[in-house]
């Protein structure tokens, strides 16, 4: 059922081996391990930290710099009122079930998923089909709730039903999950005990701001709200010109019910979010859509999923937009740009798909949403969400605060509107209604065009009209023609005022980072224990390993000189002058994903030339110091590939590398 | 009293004008303004965000890359237990006084400071001396507690006393602040009401991790703890080689009692921290100290402050270390490196001093501490702290968790130790003491060398000895010579085990950013309303402004081409093709601190040459597109100055710029 994940070279991926390598090389480790750890929190060590910085740097260049986006840095601490308005206080929640006897808490959808998957596995086994045993051992490591699988054959109809439920597991609300738990008799997997009905658990971390404890606040669940609240200022900064995008890179927080799956579901994570503000009129066109329209994407649409299937379709984004599968050009433009970004990072293009959200699955603010999902050993994982948030956020904040979160633009042609207008005779109106004046005036202002038209006729006919004003007198107020007139006039509007819609590509940097690692991981044939991480050079944590051939101090001097020069160019490098063999030293750096190696040997002393080695092919070239440094620079910046360099510089074969 | 702050060109600095410019240009703004704001929280807009990123980038190159530091990224969420061990739960607090009638809360030290300063001002006024009236208006803006100053003459002795109290205001604890409040009859400045005694208010934001609410946690108050907890793994990653440093850049949080002074005292802030781990033996020498020993620093030492004075002394760091004023080479090395970093950023060197902490002022973990303070309109502000945390943190975490947070190194010469050893005859020992055996054995093991020596003599003489074992029998236990021997032997130790000491340079990026802005701010003579921010090009938010001379579409094409090329080189630039005059467009960019301007004019169409303009001198050169781009690159990277470029390329005078 679950797709099998593979290494870069197509071998089955052994996550346990990879995990242990990543920990050994300090890409990341569980936080607070000395104190027993806290699930869902991870620290990045030096290679992970550098990898993360390079991904962020590339993101900034690909999106922010390329499209002149306005980057902002807003606070994580957010007062209650803001997140109440945005809907997060009420709706940003997962469903949890408690076992009242043991006090254990389960995330309802994950529990249903795991139990049904386990039963399907048991069914397979009962039918004599091969079941992945390794997965079971793995399940225990991952602290899966369901640890034992019973070989028990199910009815064909039940199997089909389970599969359909699993395909749309993200589409269920609390009541539905409760019904599924009842219907399929799902219990606490460890004790068999009954569970209480699912209740909503808000995923925001709460705190209190200031010394008096009076101001409730949360850690932001997304960077977006800060950007929305700055909209007006950004529009001003952008000299009132539309469309434009803001962007933000920073940590967000979600108090996951039971984090699992390593970096894939964590409680504190780095996000990079874009809020692209666009005029909703004219179909949300994008001026640069033409540049990307022929890019092919792998799409999994909503209808297919609701049928309980996961069949994808390959299609150019141009066609996807023109057929209405993807709602508009701006959304389509960003889907294509996301694909290009992932490609640049080194993500395996055959392991990318764009999945449309089902209706109930969408966040409360979204009108449409496509996730870029990457295939990993954890299955298909959402790494980038691309939502059309419509005018939702700007509207709710404007309504709550009274701030005009709108664009005002001069119409090229003034708009002429025929309308019924009400003129009050203020001199008589005030004295007549006294303290009720405001309420009556508001009721008059609120009359629709249709009402006004018919009241105008009534006024002409009877010389007076009656309108509803709740709370004043008996709820009806009579108005005579000396106190108001209703006339049809033409109003000319020179300014158009509108609330922009927002297209939001939102990147989970940690998930991308981990998925990328799985995609570039492989091991050399015949040496399975020795892992290689084939990061493209611009993404690699360290670009160059510098090795003196032996402990000869003359070699050491040379590599120190090169190191100093590379540092001056901002190219990260590491000297390994330990006494380990060159082969061992390169192996260590294979695991760190260092793409290049420079060796100083006897010939270097003689003629000042050095060898440059490619991690992936293990081939070497030999050239002068200057040429080697130039090659390193262009490779690190991604302006040349190893093939280019190997064509230019003479190959080197002699040096013994064990 | 308070030093007068000046602009880059030595004019008095008008903070109100500067503040309004910074807000207008969206460097930063109060967060959640639409919701009334939350004090102590600020958002960075595009220029502030870019400035911050450039400072961080320069920091990373100056410290991390230059010294091969191991950068890590640890979580902000931190469990209670970790911060309890580190001492923060108990001691990371400020003193606050409550007015029981109004419920108002005051930070005790700030209140004493403000009241005494106001009285000193009143005294000055009563003596007919000039008092800065602008300051008063400013005080209201800054929401100072003390709003009105009464002209009231004080005794000379009282003036002296107040001045001395103010000079060591950071040195007082809660009891002392309480006494000062009593002694000087300090009340709620608004109502005149009595205040309760100062109580400690913990400055950490508290939250709860996980769905059951069972795990208490905090937002970290510093990045350091994550680094200490990773120490063992980092040492391993560094192939057991000492000394080394870890580094971390990230947000930290302090729930300030009453934040004020803009970016200077905020509740959420970006820090960059280094933890340099060093062998405490041999005086904490630093291998590269020689490179910095002649650098002159302005020092304000502890003794001067305790005398109630603030006189500084200029001294080379070499001399400061050799005379013992600065405790050790590693601390001194970093002080000098901090000064170099600040200089590179563009900080005014005459507005930097290093102030030593007084004993009571130091954080609970520190053995010595020097702050790099920058002079601003808020007075001298701590921007970098450089503390010797000794072995405090590693020791407390090791004691609490049992993890060996130590360095083990092979001694070059084995250490031979003559010592008295106790040999127990286990066969007789066990049966004799039974359940008390453990206690007796522990008491024997705990005997000092002196005790062992004298007991050995006693055993030889009497054939038995008595030792204290609390809780066993009557507290004395008798041991005969058949049950133990005490002999002098030579023990050979090949491994040395020690807990490293930590030198911690800790940078408040927001404070540095704001101080830098004040230091580079000035206005052109005769045009005071028009501000200029003379950031050095590598730090400037945007490097180049591109302006077509007029709205001629041919000019626009040219600047778009240059913009595209610059973007390819990673150089941030902005096109301004509005119809405003060139002068106006340059003025806008003066305020944004954009150092360079390129104009496309009629000659550009003819011969492909462009003009390049320097923000500070307003001088221009003219050269080919290629040369102009090369000059922009070297200026942005800081490898050339404008003087260099102006020497190389021909000056251009003709173009009319109003």
């Amino acid at each position: 059922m679950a797709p099998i994940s593979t290494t870069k070279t197509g071998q089955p991926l052994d996550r346990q081996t990879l995990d242990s390598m990543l920990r050994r090389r300090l890409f990341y480790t569980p936080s607070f391990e000395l104190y027993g750890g806290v699930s869902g929190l991870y620290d990045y060590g030096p290679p992970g930290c550098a990898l993360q910085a390079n991904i962020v740097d590339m993101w900034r260049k690909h999106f922010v710099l390329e499209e002149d986006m306005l980057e902002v840095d807003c606070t994580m601490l957010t007062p209650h009122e803001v997140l109440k308005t945005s809907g997060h206080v009420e709706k940003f929640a997962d469903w949890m079930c408690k076992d009242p006897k043991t006090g254990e808490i389960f995330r309802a959808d994950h529990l249903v998923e795991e139990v049904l998957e386990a039963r399907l596995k048991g069914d397979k086994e009962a039918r004599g089909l091969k079941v992945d045993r390794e997965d079971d051992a793995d399940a225990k490591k991952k602290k899966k709730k369901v640890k034992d699988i019973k070989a028990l054959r199910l009815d064909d109809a039940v199997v089909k039903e389970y599969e359909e439920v699993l395909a749309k597991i993200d589409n269920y609300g609390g009541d539905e999950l409760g019904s599924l738990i009842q219907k399929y008799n799902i219990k606490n997997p460890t004790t068999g005990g009954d569970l209480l009905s699912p209740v909503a658990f808000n995923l925001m971390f709460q705190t209190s701001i200031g010394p008096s404890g009076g101001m409730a606040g949360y850690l932001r669940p997304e960077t977006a709200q800060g950007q929305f609240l700055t909209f007006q200022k950004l529009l001003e900064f952008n000299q009132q010109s539309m469309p434009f995008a803001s962007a933000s890179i920073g940590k967000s927080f979600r108090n996951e019910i039971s984090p699992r799956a390593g970096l894939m579901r964590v409680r504190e994570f780095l996000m990079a979010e874009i809020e692209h503000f666009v005029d909703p009129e004219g179909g949300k066109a994008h001026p640069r859509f033409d540049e990307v329209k022929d890019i092919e994407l792998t799409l999994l649409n909503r209808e297919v999923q609701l049928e309980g299937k996961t069949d994808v379709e390959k299609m150019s984004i141009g066609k996807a937009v023109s057929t209405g599968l993807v709602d508009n050009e701006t959304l389509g433009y960003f889907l294509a740009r996301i694909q290009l970004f992932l490609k640049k990072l080194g993500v395996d293009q055959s392991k990318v798909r764009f999945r449309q959200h089902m209706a109930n699955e969408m966040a409360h603010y979204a009108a449409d949403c496509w996730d870029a999902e990457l295939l990993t050993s954890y299955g298909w994982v959402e790494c980038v969400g691309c939502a059309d948030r419509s005018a939702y956020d700007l509207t709710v904040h404007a309504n709550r605060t009274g701030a005009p979160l709108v664009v005002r633009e001069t119409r090229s042609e003034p708009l002429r509107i025929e309308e019924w207008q009400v003129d009050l005779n203020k001199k008589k109106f005030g004295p007549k209604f006294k303290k009720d004046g405001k309420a009556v005036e508001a009721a008059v202002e609120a009359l629709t065009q249709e009402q006004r038209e018919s009241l105008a006729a009534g006024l002409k006919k009877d010389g007076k009209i009656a309108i509803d004003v709740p709370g004043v007198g008996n709820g009806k107020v009579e108005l005579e023609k000396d106190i108001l007139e209703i006339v049809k006039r033409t109003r000319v509007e020179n300014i158009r005022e509108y609330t922009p819609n927002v297209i939001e590509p939102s990147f989970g940097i940690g998930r991308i980072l981990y998925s990328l690692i799985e995609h570039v991981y492989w091991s050399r044939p015949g040496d399975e224990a020795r892992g290689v991480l084939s990061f493209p050079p611009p993404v690699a944590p360290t670009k160059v390993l510098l090795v003196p051939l032996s402990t000869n101090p003359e070699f050491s001097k040379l590599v120190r000189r090169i190191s100093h020069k590379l540092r001056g160019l901002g190219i990260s490098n590491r000297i390994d002058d330990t006494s380990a063999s060159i082969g061992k030293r390169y192996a260590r750096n294979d695991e760190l994903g260092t793409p290049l190696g420079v060796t100083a040997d006897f010939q270097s002393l003689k003629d000042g030339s050095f060898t440059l080695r490619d991690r992936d092919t293990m081939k070497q070239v030999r050239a002068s110091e200057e040429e080697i440094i130039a090659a390193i620079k262009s490779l690190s910046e991604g302006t040349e590939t190893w093939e280019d360099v190997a064509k230019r510089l003479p190959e080197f074969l002699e040096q013994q590398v064990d």
Side-chain angles (χ1 to χ4, degrees), chain A residues 186-232:
Chain A
I186 292 172
K187 309 280 182 186
N188 180 334
T190 322
T191 65
D194 282 330
L195 300 171
L196 299 179
S197 296
V199 294
F201 171 68
N202 193 289
L203 297 179
M204 293 192 293
F205 286 98
Q206 196 167 1
T207 190
S208 150
I209 304 171
S212 62
M215 183 185 265
Y218 300 96
L219 294 177
R220 66 178 177 200
E222 54 172 7
T223 73
Q225 295 306 321
Q227 299 183 60
F228 297 137
L229 294 182
T230 323
F231 168 73
Q232 239 181 334

Side-chain angles (χ1 to χ4, degrees), chain A residues 433 440 444 459 463-465 467 477-481 483-484:
Chain A
F433 293 108
V440 177
V444 169
L459 197 62
K464 63 180 184 185
I465 53 171
I467 63 167
V477 167
E478 205 160 82
L479 297 159
E480 276 111 36
K481 65 177 175 184
I483 218 161
L484 92 167

Side-chain angles (χ1 to χ4, degrees), chain A residues 4-62:
Chain A
I4 291 163
S5 69
T6 55
T7 66
K8 184 177 160 66
T9 45
Q11 306 303 309
L13 187 142
D14 178 8
R15 189 163 67 219
Q16 225 173 303
T17 310
L18 173 60
D19 270 356
S20 93
M21 180 184 103
L22 293 174
R23 287 195 188 206
R24 194 169 65 243
R25 294 307 178 201
L26 223 51
F27 274 83
Y28 58 88
T29 57
S31 305
F32 313 111
E33 252 184 330
L34 295 188
Y35 283 81
V38 178
S39 50
L41 296 182
Y42 288 87
D43 295 336
Y44 290 95
C49 197
L51 180 59
Q52 178 181 263
N54 294 341
I55 292 174
V56 165
D57 185 57
M58 202 172 266
W59 188 89
R60 202 176 249 136
K61 282 183 185 142
H62 186 82

Side-chain angles (χ1 to χ4, degrees), chain A residues 18-189:
Chain A
L18 173 60
D19 270 356
S20 93
M21 180 184 103
L22 293 174
R23 287 195 188 206
R24 194 169 65 243
R25 294 307 178 201
L26 223 51
F27 274 83
Y28 58 88
T29 57
S31 305
F32 313 111
E33 252 184 330
L34 295 188
Y35 283 81
V38 178
S39 50
L41 296 182
Y42 288 87
D43 295 336
Y44 290 95
C49 197
L51 180 59
Q52 178 181 263
N54 294 341
I55 292 174
V56 165
D57 185 57
M58 202 172 266
W59 188 89
R60 202 176 249 136
K61 282 183 185 142
H62 186 82
F63 292 104
V64 179
L65 196 62
E66 178 61 30
E67 309 197 17
D68 272 335
M69 292 176 179
L70 304 181
E71 191 178 340
V72 297
D73 184 10
C74 303
T75 62
M76 300 168 196
L77 287 167
T78 308
H80 174 85
E81 211 42 41
V82 170
L83 292 161
K84 185 156 185 290
T85 305
S86 70
H88 285 87
V89 170
E90 204 184 321
K91 293 177 187 154
F92 192 70
D94 279 340
W95 298 97
M96 68 176 183
C97 291
K98 193 168 175 172
D99 178 331
K101 272 199 189 144
T102 64
E104 276 172 282
I105 288 167
F106 301 91
R107 188 170 147 179
D109 56 341
H110 287 177
L111 182 66
V112 171
E113 198 174 10
E114 282 188 22
V115 169
L116 297 194
E117 276 176 356
R119 289 184 191 168
L120 287 173
K121 242 180 201 173
D123 168 73
K124 255 177 145 181
E125 210 164 330
R127 289 172 193 244
L129 298 170
K130 192 176 167 275
V131 173
D132 199 347
R133 270 291 142 199
E134 210 176 44
D135 251 24
D136 292 358
D138 212 39
K140 273 167 209 156
K141 283 246 161 49
K142 270 166 60 191
K143 294 190 200 146
K144 277 216 176 179
K145 306 294 178 197
V146 183
K147 295 196 168 65
D148 293 309
I149 289 166
K150 283 189 203 113
L152 190 69
R153 183 159 179 163
L154 306 170
D155 277 356
D156 288 1
V158 171
V159 168
K160 190 158 172 271
E161 205 176 317
Y162 281 6
E163 282 172 349
E164 281 170 10
V165 167
L166 288 173
K168 48 187 172 182
I169 189 75
D170 293 329
N171 200 39
Y172 297 111
D175 289 348
E176 291 160 306
L177 288 168
S179 308
L180 291 173
I181 288 171
Q182 288 258 311
K183 182 173 176 193
Y184 299 132
N185 197 30
I186 292 172
K187 309 280 182 186
N188 180 334

Side-chain angles (χ1 to χ4, degrees), chain A residues 420-573:
Chain A
W420 291 93
Q421 296 180 345
V422 181
D423 300 338
L424 293 178
N425 182 339
K426 294 270 171 166
K427 259 189 210 157
K428 296 195 175 173
F429 187 86
K432 176 165 181 185
F433 293 108
K434 302 199 179 75
K435 69 171 176 38
D436 294 331
K438 263 196 173 165
V440 177
E441 193 175 342
V444 169
E445 287 299 320
L447 293 169
T448 64
Q449 285 296 316
E450 289 70 32
Q451 291 171 319
R452 288 173 189 209
E453 186 168 3
S454 96
L455 289 171
L459 197 62
K460 198 173 174 186
K461 187 163 154 253
D462 309 328
K464 63 180 184 185
I465 53 171
I467 63 167
D468 297 331
V469 188
V472 174
N474 63 354
K476 281 260 179 212
V477 167
E478 205 160 82
L479 297 159
E480 276 111 36
K481 65 177 175 184
D482 62 335
I483 218 161
L484 92 167
E485 269 192 299
I486 304 180
V487 283
K488 194 162 195 179
R489 293 203 193 95
T490 300
R491 183 165 56 86
V492 178
E493 224 182 64
N494 291 300
I495 299 288
R496 176 176 162 239
E497 204 176 88
Y498 67 90
T499 304
N501 278 25
V502 172
I503 308 292
E504 177 194 75
S506 168
F507 298 71
I509 300 296
R511 288 185 175 186
I512 294 174
L513 181 146
Y514 179 78
S515 304
L516 173 64
I517 287 177
E518 277 203 3
H519 289 199
V520 301
Y521 170 64
W522 58 293
S523 48
R524 304 213 187 265
D527 196 358
E528 271 65 37
R530 172 177 165 183
V532 187
L533 292 174
S534 285
F535 297 114
V539 183
T542 304
K543 311 304 181 198
V544 196
L545 172 72
L546 300 166
V547 285
L549 183 67
S550 70
T551 54
N552 183 333
E554 291 303 313
F555 296 159
S556 186
K557 244 189 248 169
L558 290 178
V559 298
R560 258 160 238 291
R561 191 175 70 201
I562 294 186
S563 172
H564 181 77
K565 285 186 184 169
L566 290 173
R567 203 181 287 149
L569 295 168
I571 296 170
S572 59
N573 63 86

